[in-house]
Coordinates of all heavy atoms in Angstrom, one line a residue:
M18 N 12.9 30.6 16.8 CA 12.0 29.6 16.6 C 12.6 28.3 16.1 O 13.2 28.4 15.1 CB 10.8 30.2 15.9 CG 9.7 29.2 15.8 SD 8.1 30.0 16.0 CE 6.9 28.8 15.9
I19 N 12.3 27.3 16.6 CA 12.7 26.0 16.1 C 11.6 25.0 15.3 O 10.6 24.9 16.0 CB 13.3 25.1 17.3 CG1 14.4 25.8 17.9 CG2 13.9 23.8 16.8 CD1 14.9 25.2 19.3
F20 N 11.9 24.7 14.3 CA 10.9 24.0 13.6 C 11.4 22.5 13.6 O 12.5 22.2 13.3 CB 10.7 24.4 12.0 CG 10.0 25.7 12.0 CD1 10.8 26.8 11.8 CD2 8.6 25.7 12.0 CE1 10.2 28.2 11.6 CE2 8.0 27.0 12.0 CZ 8.8 28.1 11.7
I21 N 10.5 21.6 13.8 CA 10.9 20.1 13.8 C 10.1 19.6 12.6 O 8.9 19.4 12.6 CB 10.5 19.5 15.0 CG1 11.1 20.1 16.3 CG2 10.9 17.9 15.0 CD1 10.6 19.7 17.7
F22 N 11.0 19.1 11.6 CA 10.4 18.4 10.4 C 10.7 16.9 10.4 O 11.7 16.6 11.1 CB 11.2 19.0 9.2 CG 10.8 20.4 8.8 CD1 11.7 21.5 9.2 CD2 9.5 20.6 8.2 CE1 11.3 22.7 8.8 CE2 9.2 22.0 8.0 CZ 10.1 23.0 8.2
G23 N 9.8 16.2 10.0 CA 10.2 14.7 10.0 C 9.2 14.1 8.7 O 8.7 14.8 8.0
A24 N 9.3 12.8 8.9 CA 8.4 12.1 7.8 C 8.0 10.8 8.4 O 8.8 10.2 9.2 CB 9.4 11.7 6.6
N25 N 6.8 10.4 8.2 CA 6.3 9.2 8.8 C 5.4 8.4 7.7 O 4.9 9.1 6.8 CB 5.5 9.4 9.9 CG 4.4 10.4 10.0 OD1 3.8 10.5 9.1 ND2 4.5 11.3 11.1
D26 N 5.4 7.1 7.8 CA 4.7 6.3 6.9 C 3.2 5.9 7.4 O 3.3 5.7 8.6 CB 5.4 5.0 6.7 CG 6.7 5.3 5.7 OD1 6.7 6.2 5.0 OD2 7.7 4.5 5.9
K27 N 2.3 6.0 6.5 CA 1.0 5.7 7.0 C 0.3 4.7 6.0 O 0.6 4.8 4.7 CB 0.1 7.0 7.0 CG 0.1 7.5 8.4 CD -0.9 8.6 8.2 CE -0.7 9.6 9.4 NZ -1.7 10.8 9.3
V28 N -0.6 3.9 6.5 CA -1.4 3.0 5.6 C -2.6 3.8 5.2 O -3.3 4.1 6.1 CB -1.6 1.6 6.2 CG1 -2.6 0.8 5.2 CG2 -0.4 0.9 6.4
V29 N -2.7 4.2 4.0 CA -3.9 5.0 3.5 C -5.1 4.3 3.3 O -6.2 4.5 3.7 CB -3.5 6.1 2.4 CG1 -4.7 6.9 2.1 CG2 -2.2 6.8 2.7
E30 N -5.0 3.1 2.6 CA -6.1 2.3 2.2 C -5.6 0.8 2.3 O -4.4 0.5 1.9 CB -6.5 2.5 0.8 CG -7.4 3.6 0.5 CD -7.7 3.9 -0.9 OE1 -7.4 3.0 -1.8 OE2 -8.2 4.9 -1.2
K31 N -6.5 0.0 2.7 CA -6.1 -1.5 2.8 C -7.4 -2.2 2.5 O -8.3 -2.0 3.1 CB -5.6 -1.7 4.1 CG -4.9 -3.2 4.1 CD -4.2 -3.3 5.4 CE -3.6 -4.7 5.6 NZ -2.8 -4.9 7.0
Q32 N -7.4 -3.2 1.5 CA -8.6 -4.0 1.3 C -8.1 -5.4 0.7 O -7.0 -5.6 0.2 CB -9.4 -3.2 0.4 CG -8.8 -3.2 -1.0 CD -10.1 -2.7 -2.0 OE1 -10.5 -1.6 -2.1 NE2 -10.6 -3.6 -2.8
Q33 N -8.9 -6.3 0.8 CA -8.7 -7.6 0.2 C -9.2 -7.5 -1.2 O -10.3 -7.1 -1.5 CB -9.5 -8.7 1.0 CG -9.0 -10.0 0.8 CD -9.0 -10.8 2.1 OE1 -10.0 -10.6 2.9 NE2 -8.2 -11.7 2.4
C34 N -8.5 -8.1 -2.1 CA -8.7 -8.3 -3.5 C -9.8 -9.2 -3.7 O -10.1 -10.1 -3.0 CB -7.5 -8.7 -4.2 SG -7.2 -7.9 -5.8
Y35 N -10.6 -8.9 -4.9 CA -11.7 -9.8 -5.1 C -11.4 -11.1 -5.9 O -12.0 -12.1 -5.9 CB -12.8 -9.1 -6.0 CG -13.4 -7.8 -5.4 CD1 -13.0 -6.6 -5.9 CD2 -14.3 -7.9 -4.3 CE1 -13.5 -5.4 -5.3 CE2 -14.7 -6.8 -3.8 CZ -14.3 -5.5 -4.3 OH -14.8 -4.4 -3.7
I36 N -10.2 -11.0 -6.6 CA -9.7 -12.0 -7.4 C -8.8 -12.9 -6.7 O -7.8 -12.3 -6.0 CB -9.1 -11.6 -8.7 CG1 -10.2 -10.7 -9.4 CG2 -8.7 -12.8 -9.6 CD1 -9.8 -9.7 -10.4
Q37 N -8.8 -14.2 -6.7 CA -7.7 -15.0 -6.1 C -6.5 -15.0 -6.8 O -6.5 -15.1 -8.0 CB -8.3 -16.4 -5.8 CG -9.4 -16.4 -4.8 CD -9.6 -17.7 -4.1 OE1 -9.3 -18.7 -4.6 NE2 -9.8 -17.6 -2.8
E38 N -5.5 -15.1 -6.1 CA -4.1 -15.0 -6.7 C -3.2 -16.1 -6.2 O -3.4 -16.4 -5.0 CB -3.4 -13.7 -6.3 CG -2.4 -13.2 -7.3 CD -3.0 -12.1 -8.4 OE1 -3.9 -11.5 -8.0 OE2 -2.4 -12.1 -9.4
H39 N -2.5 -16.8 -6.9 CA -1.6 -17.8 -6.5 C -0.2 -17.3 -6.3 O 0.4 -16.5 -6.8 CB -1.4 -18.9 -7.6 CG -0.6 -19.9 -7.1 ND1 -1.1 -20.9 -6.3 CD2 0.7 -20.3 -7.3 CE1 -0.1 -21.9 -6.0 NE2 0.9 -21.5 -6.5
C40 N 0.2 -17.8 -4.9 CA 1.6 -17.0 -4.4 C 2.6 -18.2 -4.7 O 2.4 -19.5 -4.2 CB 1.4 -16.8 -3.1 SG 3.1 -16.4 -2.3
Y41 N 3.7 -17.9 -5.5 CA 4.6 -18.9 -5.7 C 5.7 -19.0 -4.7 O 6.5 -20.0 -4.6 CB 5.3 -18.5 -7.1 CG 4.4 -18.6 -8.2 CD1 3.8 -17.6 -8.8 CD2 4.2 -19.9 -8.9 CE1 2.9 -17.8 -9.9 CE2 3.4 -20.1 -9.8 CZ 2.7 -19.0 -10.3 OH 1.8 -19.1 -11.4
H42 N 5.5 -18.1 -3.6 CA 6.4 -18.1 -2.6 C 6.0 -19.2 -1.5 O 6.8 -20.0 -1.0 CB 6.4 -16.6 -1.9 CG 7.6 -16.5 -0.9 ND1 7.3 -16.4 0.4 CD2 8.9 -16.4 -1.1 CE1 8.6 -16.3 1.0 NE2 9.4 -16.3 0.1
C43 N 4.6 -19.1 -1.1 CA 4.1 -20.1 -0.1 C 3.3 -21.0 -0.5 O 2.8 -22.0 0.1 CB 3.6 -19.3 1.1 SG 2.1 -18.4 0.6
N44 N 3.0 -21.1 -2.0 CA 2.3 -22.0 -2.7 C 0.6 -22.2 -2.2 O 0.1 -23.1 -2.2 CB 2.8 -23.4 -2.5 CG 2.9 -24.0 -3.8 OD1 2.7 -23.5 -4.9 ND2 3.6 -25.2 -3.8
N45 N 0.1 -21.0 -1.9 CA -1.2 -20.9 -1.6 C -2.1 -20.0 -2.5 O -1.4 -19.0 -3.1 CB -1.4 -20.2 -0.1 CG -1.0 -21.2 0.9 OD1 -1.8 -22.2 1.2 ND2 0.1 -20.9 1.7
T46 N -3.2 -20.2 -2.7 CA -4.1 -19.5 -3.5 C -5.2 -18.8 -2.6 O -6.0 -19.5 -2.0 CB -4.8 -20.2 -4.7 OG1 -3.7 -20.9 -5.4 CG2 -5.5 -19.3 -5.6
T47 N -5.1 -17.4 -2.5 CA -5.9 -16.7 -1.6 C -6.2 -15.3 -2.1 O -5.7 -14.9 -3.3 CB -5.2 -16.4 -0.2 OG1 -4.0 -16.0 -0.5 CG2 -5.2 -17.5 0.7
N48 N -6.9 -14.7 -1.5 CA -7.3 -13.3 -2.0 C -6.3 -12.3 -1.3 O -6.1 -12.2 -0.2 CB -8.6 -12.8 -1.3 CG -9.9 -13.6 -2.1 OD1 -10.2 -14.7 -1.6 ND2 -10.5 -13.0 -3.0
W49 N -5.4 -11.7 -2.2 CA -4.3 -10.9 -1.8 C -4.8 -9.5 -1.3 O -5.9 -9.2 -1.5 CB -3.3 -10.7 -3.0 CG -2.4 -11.9 -3.4 CD1 -2.7 -13.4 -3.0 CD2 -1.3 -11.9 -3.9 NE1 -1.6 -14.1 -3.3 CE2 -0.9 -13.2 -3.9 CE3 -0.4 -10.9 -4.2 CZ2 0.5 -13.7 -4.4 CZ3 0.9 -11.3 -4.9 CH2 1.3 -12.6 -4.9
I50 N -3.9 -8.9 -0.6 CA -4.1 -7.5 -0.1 C -3.7 -6.6 -1.0 O -2.5 -6.6 -1.5 CB -3.5 -7.4 1.5 CG1 -3.8 -8.7 2.3 CG2 -3.9 -6.2 2.1 CD1 -5.3 -8.8 2.8
L51 N -4.6 -5.6 -1.1 CA -4.1 -4.3 -1.7 C -3.9 -3.2 -0.8 O -4.8 -3.0 0.1 CB -5.3 -3.8 -2.8 CG -5.3 -4.4 -4.1 CD1 -6.6 -3.8 -4.7 CD2 -4.2 -4.0 -5.0
E52 N -2.7 -2.6 -0.8 CA -2.5 -1.7 0.1 C -1.8 -0.3 -0.5 O -1.0 -0.4 -1.4 CB -1.5 -2.2 1.2 CG -1.5 -1.5 2.5 CD -0.5 -2.2 3.5 OE1 -0.9 -3.3 4.0 OE2 0.6 -1.6 3.7
K53 N -2.3 0.7 0.0 CA -1.8 2.1 -0.3 C -1.1 2.7 0.8 O -1.8 2.9 1.9 CB -2.9 3.0 -0.8 CG -2.4 4.3 -1.4 CD -3.7 5.1 -1.8 CE -3.5 6.5 -2.2 NZ -4.6 7.2 -2.5
N54 N 0.2 3.0 0.6 CA 1.0 3.5 1.7 C 1.5 5.1 1.3 O 1.7 5.2 0.0 CB 2.3 2.8 1.8 CG 2.0 1.5 2.7 OD1 1.5 1.7 3.7 ND2 2.5 0.5 2.1
A55 N 1.6 5.8 2.1 CA 2.2 7.2 1.9 C 3.0 7.6 2.9 O 3.0 7.4 4.1 CB 0.9 8.2 1.7
T56 N 4.1 8.3 2.4 CA 5.0 8.9 3.4 C 4.6 10.4 3.4 O 4.5 11.1 2.6 CB 6.5 8.8 2.8 OG1 6.8 7.5 2.7 CG2 7.5 9.4 4.0
F57 N 4.4 10.8 4.7 CA 3.9 12.2 4.9 C 5.0 13.0 5.4 O 5.7 12.6 6.4 CB 2.8 12.2 6.0 CG 1.4 11.7 5.3 CD1 1.0 10.4 5.2 CD2 0.5 12.7 4.9 CE1 -0.2 10.1 4.7 CE2 -0.7 12.5 4.4 CZ -1.1 11.1 4.3
A58 N 5.0 14.3 5.0 CA 5.9 15.2 5.6 C 5.3 15.6 7.0 O 4.1 15.9 7.0 CB 6.2 16.4 4.8
S59 N 5.9 15.7 8.0 CA 5.4 16.2 9.3 C 6.1 17.3 9.8 O 7.3 17.6 9.7 CB 5.3 15.2 10.3 OG 6.7 14.7 10.6
L60 N 5.4 18.2 10.6 CA 6.0 19.3 11.2 C 5.5 19.3 12.5 O 4.2 19.2 12.9 CB 5.4 20.6 10.5 CG 5.8 22.0 11.0 CD1 7.3 22.2 10.8 CD2 5.1 23.1 10.1
F61 N 6.3 19.4 13.5 CA 6.0 19.2 14.9 C 5.3 17.9 15.1 O 4.2 17.9 15.9 CB 5.2 20.4 15.5 CG 5.9 21.7 15.4 CD1 5.6 22.6 14.5 CD2 7.2 21.8 16.2 CE1 6.5 24.0 14.5 CE2 8.0 23.0 16.2 CZ 7.5 24.1 15.2
F62 N 5.6 16.9 14.5 CA 5.1 15.5 14.6 C 3.6 15.4 14.1 O 2.8 14.4 14.4 CB 5.2 15.0 16.1 CG 6.5 15.0 16.5 CD1 6.9 16.0 17.5 CD2 7.6 14.3 16.1 CE1 8.1 16.2 17.9 CE2 8.8 14.3 16.6 CZ 9.2 15.4 17.6
I63 N 3.1 16.4 13.4 CA 1.8 16.3 12.7 C 2.0 16.1 11.2 O 2.7 16.8 10.6 CB 1.0 17.5 13.1 CG1 0.8 17.7 14.6 CG2 -0.4 17.6 12.4 CD1 0.5 19.1 15.1
S64 N 1.2 15.1 10.7 CA 1.4 14.9 9.3 C 0.7 16.1 8.5 O -0.4 16.4 8.8 CB 0.6 13.7 8.9 OG 1.3 12.6 9.5
V65 N 1.5 16.6 7.6 CA 1.0 17.8 6.9 C 0.6 17.5 5.5 O -0.5 17.8 5.1 CB 2.1 18.9 6.8 CG1 1.6 20.2 6.3 CG2 2.8 19.1 8.2
F66 N 1.5 16.8 4.6 CA 1.1 16.5 3.3 C 1.9 15.2 2.9 O 3.0 15.0 3.4 CB 1.3 17.6 2.3 CG 2.7 18.2 2.3 CD1 3.7 17.7 1.3 CD2 3.1 19.2 3.1 CE1 4.9 18.1 1.5 CE2 4.3 19.8 3.1 CZ 5.2 19.2 2.2
P67 N 1.4 14.5 1.9 CA 2.1 13.3 1.5 C 3.2 13.7 0.6 O 3.1 14.4 -0.4 CB 1.0 12.4 0.8 CG -0.1 13.4 0.4 CD 0.0 14.5 1.4
I68 N 4.3 12.9 0.5 CA 5.5 13.2 -0.3 C 5.5 12.1 -1.3 O 5.8 12.4 -2.5 CB 6.9 13.2 0.5 CG1 6.8 14.0 1.9 CG2 7.9 13.8 -0.4 CD1 8.0 13.6 2.7
K69 N 5.2 11.0 -0.8 CA 5.5 9.8 -1.7 C 4.3 8.8 -1.5 O 3.9 8.5 -0.3 CB 6.8 9.2 -1.4 CG 7.4 8.3 -2.4 CD 8.8 7.9 -2.0 CE 9.1 6.5 -2.6 NZ 10.3 6.0 -2.0
T70 N 3.8 8.2 -2.5 CA 2.6 7.2 -2.3 C 3.0 5.9 -3.0 O 3.8 5.9 -4.0 CB 1.4 7.7 -3.1 OG1 1.1 9.0 -2.6 CG2 0.3 6.8 -2.8
R71 N 3.0 4.8 -2.3 CA 3.2 3.5 -2.8 C 2.1 2.6 -2.9 O 1.1 2.8 -2.0 CB 4.3 2.8 -1.9 CG 5.8 3.3 -2.2 CD 6.7 2.8 -1.0 NE 6.1 2.9 0.2 CZ 6.3 4.1 1.0 NH1 7.0 5.1 0.6 NH2 5.7 4.1 2.2
Y72 N 2.0 1.8 -3.9 CA 0.9 0.8 -4.0 C 1.4 -0.6 -4.0 O 2.3 -0.8 -4.8 CB 0.1 1.1 -5.3 CG -0.4 2.4 -5.4 CD1 0.3 3.5 -6.1 CD2 -1.6 2.8 -4.9 CE1 -0.1 4.8 -6.2 CE2 -2.2 4.0 -5.1 CZ -1.3 5.1 -5.7 OH -1.9 6.3 -5.9
I73 N 1.0 -1.4 -3.2 CA 1.5 -2.9 -3.2 C 0.3 -3.8 -3.1 O -0.8 -3.6 -2.6 CB 2.5 -3.1 -2.0 CG1 2.0 -2.3 -0.7 CG2 3.8 -2.7 -2.3 CD1 2.7 -2.7 0.6
H74 N 0.6 -5.1 -3.6 CA -0.3 -6.1 -3.7 C 0.4 -7.2 -3.3 O 1.4 -7.6 -3.7 CB -0.6 -6.3 -5.2 CG -1.7 -7.4 -5.5 ND1 -1.6 -8.1 -6.5 CD2 -2.8 -7.6 -4.9 CE1 -2.5 -8.9 -6.6 NE2 -3.4 -8.6 -5.6
Y75 N -0.1 -7.8 -2.0 CA 0.8 -8.8 -1.4 C -0.1 -10.0 -0.9 O -1.3 -9.9 -0.5 CB 1.8 -8.4 -0.4 CG 1.0 -7.7 0.7 CD1 0.7 -8.4 2.0 CD2 0.8 -6.3 0.9 CE1 0.1 -7.9 3.1 CE2 0.2 -5.7 1.9 CZ -0.2 -6.4 3.0 OH -0.8 -5.9 4.1
C76 N 0.6 -11.1 -0.8 CA -0.1 -12.4 -0.1 C -0.2 -12.2 1.4 O 0.7 -11.8 2.1 CB 1.0 -13.6 -0.5 SG 0.6 -15.0 0.4
P77 N -1.4 -12.4 1.9 CA -1.8 -12.3 3.3 C -1.0 -13.3 4.1 O -0.9 -13.2 5.4 CB -3.1 -12.3 3.5 CG -3.6 -13.2 2.2 CD -2.6 -13.0 1.1
I78 N -0.5 -14.4 3.6 CA 0.1 -15.6 4.4 C 1.6 -15.3 4.6 O 2.0 -15.3 5.7 CB -0.2 -16.9 3.7 CG1 -1.7 -17.0 3.7 CG2 0.5 -18.0 4.5 CD1 -2.2 -18.2 2.6
C79 N 2.3 -15.0 3.6 CA 3.8 -14.8 3.7 C 4.3 -13.4 3.4 O 5.4 -13.1 3.6 CB 4.6 -15.8 2.8 SG 4.2 -15.4 1.0
H80 N 3.4 -12.5 2.9 CA 3.6 -11.2 2.7 C 4.5 -10.9 1.5 O 5.2 -9.9 1.4 CB 4.1 -10.4 4.0 CG 3.0 -10.1 5.0 ND1 3.1 -9.1 5.9 CD2 1.9 -10.8 5.1 CE1 1.9 -9.0 6.5 NE2 1.2 -10.1 6.3
N81 N 4.6 -11.9 0.7 CA 5.4 -11.7 -0.5 C 4.4 -10.8 -1.5 O 3.3 -11.1 -1.6 CB 5.8 -13.2 -1.1 CG 6.1 -13.2 -2.6 OD1 7.0 -12.6 -2.8 ND2 5.4 -13.9 -3.3
G82 N 5.1 -9.9 -2.1 CA 4.1 -9.1 -3.0 C 4.9 -8.4 -3.9 O 6.2 -8.6 -4.3
N83 N 4.2 -7.7 -4.8 CA 4.6 -6.9 -5.8 C 4.2 -5.3 -5.8 O 3.1 -5.1 -5.3 CB 4.0 -7.3 -7.2 CG 4.0 -8.7 -7.4 OD1 5.2 -9.2 -7.4 ND2 2.9 -9.4 -7.6
P84 N 5.1 -4.4 -6.0 CA 4.8 -3.2 -6.2 C 3.9 -2.8 -7.3 O 4.0 -3.4 -8.4 CB 6.0 -2.3 -6.3 CG 7.0 -3.3 -6.8 CD 6.6 -4.7 -6.5
L85 N 2.8 -1.9 -7.3 CA 2.0 -1.7 -8.5 C 2.2 -0.3 -8.7 O 2.4 0.6 -7.9 CB 0.6 -1.9 -8.1 CG 0.1 -3.3 -7.7 CD1 -1.3 -3.2 -7.2 CD2 0.3 -4.3 -8.9
N86 N 1.8 0.3 -10.0 CA 1.6 1.7 -10.2 C 0.1 2.0 -9.8 O -0.8 1.1 -9.7 CB 2.0 2.2 -11.5 CG 1.3 1.4 -12.8 OD1 0.0 1.4 -12.5 ND2 1.9 1.1 -13.7
Q87 N -0.2 3.3 -9.9 CA -1.6 3.7 -9.5 C -2.7 3.1 -10.4 O -3.7 2.7 -10.0 CB -1.6 5.2 -9.7 CG -2.8 5.8 -8.9 CD -2.8 7.3 -9.0 OE1 -2.0 7.9 -9.5 NE2 -3.8 7.9 -8.3
E88 N -2.3 3.1 -11.8 CA -3.3 2.5 -12.7 C -3.6 1.0 -12.4 O -4.7 0.6 -12.3 CB -2.7 2.6 -14.1 CG -3.7 2.6 -15.2 CD -3.1 2.6 -16.6 OE1 -1.9 3.3 -16.6 OE2 -3.6 2.1 -17.4
Q89 N -2.6 0.3 -12.2 CA -2.7 -1.2 -11.8 C -3.6 -1.4 -10.5 O -4.4 -2.2 -10.4 CB -1.4 -1.9 -11.7 CG -0.8 -1.9 -12.9 CD 0.9 -2.4 -12.8 OE1 1.5 -2.0 -11.7 NE2 1.4 -3.3 -13.6
Y90 N -3.2 -0.5 -9.5 CA -3.9 -0.6 -8.3 C -5.4 -0.2 -8.5 O -6.2 -1.1 -7.8 CB -3.2 0.5 -7.4 CG -3.9 0.6 -5.9 CD1 -3.5 -0.2 -5.0 CD2 -4.9 1.6 -5.8 CE1 -4.0 -0.1 -3.7 CE2 -5.5 1.7 -4.5 CZ -5.0 0.8 -3.5 OH -5.6 1.0 -2.2
N91 N -5.7 0.7 -9.1 CA -7.2 1.1 -9.4 C -7.9 0.0 -10.0 O -9.1 -0.3 -9.8 CB -7.3 2.3 -10.1 CG -6.9 3.5 -9.1 OD1 -7.1 3.5 -7.9 ND2 -6.5 4.7 -9.7
L92 N -7.3 -0.9 -11.1 CA -7.9 -1.7 -11.7 C -8.2 -2.9 -10.7 O -9.3 -3.5 -10.8 CB -6.9 -2.3 -12.8 CG -6.9 -1.5 -14.2 CD1 -5.8 -2.0 -15.2 CD2 -8.4 -1.5 -14.8
K93 N -7.2 -3.3 -10.0 CA -7.3 -4.4 -9.0 C -8.5 -4.1 -8.0 O -9.2 -4.9 -7.5 CB -6.0 -4.7 -8.4 CG -5.0 -5.3 -9.3 CD -4.1 -6.3 -8.5 CE -3.0 -6.9 -9.5 NZ -3.6 -7.9 -10.2
K94 N -8.5 -2.8 -7.6 CA -9.4 -2.4 -6.5 C -10.8 -2.5 -7.1 O -11.7 -2.8 -6.4 CB -9.0 -0.9 -6.4 CG -9.6 -0.5 -5.1 CD -9.1 1.0 -4.9 CE -10.2 1.8 -4.2 NZ -9.8 3.2 -4.1
N95 N -11.0 -2.3 -8.4 CA -12.4 -2.4 -9.0 C -12.6 -3.8 -9.4 O -13.7 -4.0 -10.1 CB -12.5 -1.4 -10.1 CG -12.4 0.0 -9.7 OD1 -12.9 0.3 -8.6 ND2 -11.7 0.8 -10.3
G96 N -11.9 -4.8 -9.1 CA -12.1 -6.2 -9.4 C -11.7 -6.6 -10.8 O -12.2 -7.6 -11.2
H97 N -10.8 -6.1 -11.4 CA -10.3 -6.6 -12.8 C -9.0 -7.2 -12.7 O -8.2 -7.0 -11.8 CB -10.1 -5.5 -13.7 CG -11.5 -4.5 -13.9 ND1 -12.4 -5.2 -14.7 CD2 -12.0 -3.5 -13.5 CE1 -13.4 -4.4 -14.8 NE2 -13.2 -3.3 -14.1
Ligands
ZN104 ZN1 2.5 -16.3 -0.1

């Protein structure tokens, strides 16, 4: 029997932040995007469980952003 293992990335959550943020890269002040990404282990091309989760906060115009930890992500998500 042959098992086919793999990994694929998925966007789990994506939302616009309530607070406006200034981007020093493109010089615009906008509501940045909060995104939660996860890498899933897959078996026969079906996602089974997440191996790694990443949280990012980025500018919707130039996509310049910062990685966040889970705590920072949840704070921003709740509008702080
Ligand atoms: Zn920008």
Side-chain angles (χ1 to χ4, degrees):
M18 184 143 183
I19 302 162
F20 290 98
I21 305 166
F22 291 101
N25 50 46
D26 288 332
K27 271 188 188 175
V28 175
V29 183
E30 277 177 16
K31 190 174 178 176
Q32 69 168 77
Q33 199 144 32
C34 218
Y35 301 110
I36 304 158
Q37 292 210 322
E38 204 93 32
H39 183 76
C40 177
Y41 293 97
H42 191 257
C43 65
N44 235 357
N45 283 295
T46 302
T47 46
N48 294 79
W49 281 28
I50 308 289
L51 271 174
E52 201 177 282
K53 181 179 174 181
N54 281 306
T56 303
F57 282 85
S59 64
L60 182 61
F61 298 111
F62 309 106
I63 299 158
S64 298
V65 191
F66 57 88
I68 318 168
K69 202 174 146 192
T70 310
R71 285 175 305 277
Y72 302 91
I73 39 172
H74 186 219
Y75 65 89
C76 169
I78 298 159
C79 68
H80 286 210
N81 166 54
N83 310 305
L85 300 175
N86 61 37
Q87 194 177 4
E88 199 181 333
Q89 290 168 320
Y90 177 85
N91 287 329
L92 281 174
K93 287 205 185 288
K94 200 176 143 185
N95 296 323
H97 294 285

